[in-house]
Amino acid sequence: MRIIMLVDMDYFFVACEELRNKEIIGKPTVVGFDPKQGKGRGVVMTCNYEARKYGIRSGMPISMAYRLKPDAIYLPLDYDWYEKVSKDVMSVIKEHAAKFEQVSVDEAFIDVSDKVSDFDDARIYARRLKDNIKNRIGLPCTIGVSYNKLLAKMACESAKPDGIGVVAESEAKAFLENKSTDDLYGVGRKTKERLEAMGFKTVGELAKANPMDMMENFGAFGIELHDYANGIDNSEVNENYEIKSIGREHTFEKDTSSEKDAIEAIDRLSKEVIEEVKKNGFAFKVITLKIRYSDFSEHLRSRSIRYSNDIKDVMTISAQLYRDNVEKDRKVRKIGVRVSGFIKRKGQKSMEDFAR
Ligand code: TTP
Ligand code: MG
Ligand code: MG
């Protein structure tokens, strides 16, 4: 029997802040861009559960958060600190796993099939792991336990915060039945709407869909979705986690249609991206420019090149992508530069350094 766990830290960035500042514990706290008395731009990265009571959420404009709770504590981002804490957390999780796959700064899958005998045993094991993270790092987390990655992740979401959620094979159908389709991995707003148009609101309904209809509408992804709805996911915990892309974004103080502003931002972002690329010993072959306009509509444009780690490539190609694609009569709110398609160059760091 396979037993998979997904460990996800609770309100991670704010929890990291709590570690070094006990005064904020228990008070509504937001990490993100400066709200500037409600005039600030950019978004909420995360907030603690006290702040969530006021409706504040990750990804929400910081100005909206400010409207909801002006006297919350607003803290700026400190990625270096969060990554340091993340590394410590991951090393504790790794100790408990036969197979370990970090999937983001604050979550990792582990395969513990050869460490526990059944789901009762797994629950005890999850409790021990959770206690170890709490005692050694000082942070709360939630652990989802199931027979595959899909359900481990969903079990975790359902048990948030500070919980342990277990879904055994015999419980999967009932667990999935009334979930919304966008609770499934890979289903965002658009797919959810398309599924709804086909008459599928819940995962239970989707489970009964005709696979051929799904295939017709979504291609191979449709079959995958139908599998997911039936609790089927055979993907392995993949130990060779690697960073897939590195990007940085900039939100302008004021929406702008000035090419000079844009190029300045691109140059600065390129510098930051390249620093990160070099730190990891990567070379990349795809450069992607993101333009977000005032109305929040977004345009992504990519170009492939020969492998490079040269800042000039990032700067000139991003600038070219900007000039070729920007709609001059519209104002730009945000610009992003991202590189991907990595190979590792000589002098690369160990896997441990990649697994961040
Ligand atoms: P999540 O695990 O999605 O969220 P969380 O840990 O803050 O809260 P919880 O798991 O208890 O629901 O994301 C982990 C961190 O990643 C989060 O603390 C901040 C960052 N993050 C962003 O920067 N932007 C985002 O849109 C999201 C969702 C998270
Ligand atoms: Mg989390
Ligand atoms: Mg997470």
Side-chain angles (χ1 to χ4, degrees):
M1 179 171 54
R2 273 212 312 166
I3 299 186
I4 311 286
M5 296 187 182
L6 187 270
V7 185
D8 186 287
M9 305 307 293
D10 297 332
Y11 62 97
F12 185 59
F13 288 3
V14 173
C16 291
E17 296 293 347
E18 285 182 0
L19 269 187
R20 56 179 181 182
N21 181 4
K22 304 280 175 245
E23 305 227 315
I24 63 174
I25 295 175
K27 298 176 188 156
T29 305
V30 177
V31 165
F33 290 81
D34 185 351
K36 298 187 178 162
Q37 319 290 312
K39 296 190 187 73
R41 301 168 65 84
V43 295
V44 171
M45 306 316 280
T46 196
C47 59
N48 59 5
Y49 283 78
E50 284 80 6
R52 292 182 202 191
K53 283 182 204 152
Y54 297 90
I56 302 176
R57 294 287 181 274
S58 291
M60 170 184 280
I62 197 80
S63 55
M64 188 186 287
Y66 190 85
R67 272 204 300 284
L68 292 166
K69 186 71 179 156
D71 59 350
I73 298 166
Y74 289 88
L75 300 173
L77 282 157
D78 182 356
Y79 278 111
D80 289 343
W81 174 237
Y82 312 143
E83 286 188 348
K84 193 191 162 299
V85 178
S86 167
K87 236 176 155 166
D88 293 345
V89 169
M90 292 304 155
S91 73
V92 176
I93 298 174
K94 223 185 252 180
E95 283 172 25
H96 293 73
K99 278 203 251 170
F100 167 92
E101 177 185 359
Q102 184 176 351
V103 283
S104 81
V105 69
D106 85 326
E107 68 194 85
F109 284 107
I110 55 176
D111 188 323
V112 294
S113 308
D114 59 355
K115 301 215 177 254
V116 298
S117 49
D118 56 28
F119 281 104
D120 289 336
D121 205 15
R123 187 185 285 277
I124 296 166
Y125 196 82
R127 164 59 54 192
R128 195 180 318 144
L129 169 54
K130 191 167 149 54
D131 289 346
N132 280 340
I133 295 174
K134 182 77 196 177
N135 295 336
R136 284 163 57 186
I137 314 292
L139 294 184
C141 69
T142 299
I143 303 182
V145 186
S146 193
Y147 59 95
N148 62 31
K149 288 165 88 174
L150 171 79
L151 281 153
K153 171 84 182 164
M154 292 177 78
C156 177
E157 287 305 318
S158 302
K160 282 238 159 227
D162 202 18
I164 293 175
V166 181
V167 178
E169 218 148 351
S170 57
E171 299 161 336
K173 191 159 186 264
F175 174 80
L176 288 168
E177 189 76 42
N178 296 312
K179 293 261 184 258
S180 160
T181 54
D182 60 348
D183 289 332
L184 291 176
Y185 178 77
V187 179
R189 187 173 52 84
K190 280 197 181 138
T191 307
K192 181 186 174 178
E193 280 168 10
R194 283 176 66 193
L195 288 169
E196 216 165 294
M198 289 169 73
F200 309 125
K201 269 202 150 123
T202 65
V203 174
E205 287 161 2
L206 182 59
K208 293 189 209 105
N210 179 347
M212 291 326 285
D213 290 348
M214 292 299 292
M215 178 83 182
E216 228 162 81
N217 279 279
F218 297 95
F221 176 54
I223 301 294
E224 204 164 65
L225 276 182
H226 184 255
D227 278 350
Y228 286 171
N230 285 287
I232 298 167
D233 171 19
N234 295 318
S235 64
E236 297 280 331
V237 172
N238 174 14
E239 292 176 276
N240 299 318
Y241 168 79
E242 284 176 28
I243 300 170
K244 296 208 170 64
S245 71
I246 291 174
R248 291 287 184 274
E249 301 189 341
H250 175 75
T251 304
F252 293 105
E253 282 298 316
K254 260 184 83 192
D255 293 352
T256 177
S257 47
S258 144
E259 179 170 318
K260 185 167 159 285
D261 288 351
I263 300 298
E264 266 173 27
I266 286 172
D267 286 354
R268 197 150 24 87
L269 294 168
S270 302
K271 211 178 281 170
E272 289 177 25
V273 165
I274 282 292
E275 255 171 45
E276 194 67 24
V277 166
K278 295 210 161 145
K279 227 180 350 183
N280 285 289
F282 288 151
F284 52 83
K285 72 172 166 39
V286 181
I287 296 163
T288 304
L289 182 79
K290 173 154 104 180
I291 302 173
R292 180 183 275 182
Y293 294 101
S294 316
D295 64 356
F296 281 82
S297 64
E298 239 172 44
H299 292 273
L300 291 175
R301 287 290 178 275
S302 296
R303 183 165 307 158
S304 293
I305 56 169
R306 270 186 286 175
Y307 281 111
S308 161
N309 67 350
D310 189 343
I311 186 163
K312 276 198 232 106
D313 287 331
V314 188
M315 280 183 177
T316 52
I317 289 169
S318 301
Q320 198 60 48
L321 287 170
Y322 174 84
R323 292 192 183 101
D324 290 349
N325 295 292
V326 71
E327 294 172 35
K328 293 210 172 62
D329 50 344
R330 297 176 73 186
K331 288 206 160 150
V332 175
R333 178 182 170 85
K334 179 156 100 176
I335 278 200
V337 171
R338 179 168 295 275
V339 297
S340 56
F342 295 131
I343 50 163
K344 293 161 218 162
R345 291 176 85 101
K346 274 210 299 261
Q348 72 188 59
K349 296 186 173 182
S350 66
M351 265 324 286
E352 194 143 300
D353 287 302
F354 288 113
R356 290 189 307 156

